[in-house]
Amino acid sequence: MHELLLNLDNNRVSGVLLVDSCKAFDMADYNLRLMKLEAYGVTDRAYNWCQSYLSGRRQLFCIDGKNSSLACVNHGVPQGSILGPLFFILFINDLPLYITAQTDLYADDTTITCSADY
């Protein structure tokens, strides 16, 4: 935000895009996350632990005492887990490499700032 104020003080046209990834923890794909772990050099025991932690998860819903059938969960982060935010950040941390504007990431919030002369 500091950069935005400086640009405005210098009479530059400025814009900010605020992105709050709705249901952010539900959209992170397991396989893509595991591929990123490999790309960052996580191998062997740590990689296998992460793979085991993320895969084979199932869920069901209970409404008025009636349960749905079990469904496999192939994306998202285990809700309420300490590792959830870390796994999500791993999923989005390379976003600034693909955006030419100033990009700031914080958990599931992203701010993109761009300025130009009149």
Side-chain angles (χ1 to χ4, degrees), residues 1 15-25 27 88 92 95-96 99 101-113:
M1 240 3 153
V16 175
L17 176 64
L18 304 171
V19 180
D20 182 6
S21 303
C22 182
K23 300 280 186 176
F25 294 115
M27 71 180 192
F88 182 73
I92 66 163
L95 182 64
I99 298 177
Q102 171 67 37
T103 307
D104 297 306
L105 304 172
Y106 181 76
D108 63 343
D109 295 319
T110 301
T111 303
I112 301 170
T113 306

Side-chain angles (χ1 to χ4, degrees), residues 18-76:
L18 304 171
V19 180
D20 182 6
S21 303
C22 182
K23 300 280 186 176
F25 294 115
D26 293 339
M27 71 180 192
D29 178 77
Y30 288 166
N31 292 323
L32 181 57
R33 192 172 315 125
L34 291 171
M35 288 180 356
K36 284 190 170 195
L37 284 172
E38 278 186 298
Y40 286 119
V42 176
T43 58
D44 302 328
R45 195 170 179 182
Y47 178 87
N48 291 337
W49 183 89
C50 290
Q51 185 177 31
S52 172
Y53 179 74
L54 293 171
S55 31
R57 293 191 171 270
R58 298 179 298 165
Q59 70 180 14
L60 63 85
F61 296 94
C62 180
I63 300 174
D64 292 330
K66 296 182 181 179
N67 294 338
S68 69
S69 57
L70 281 173
C72 291
V73 180
N74 298 321
H75 57 277

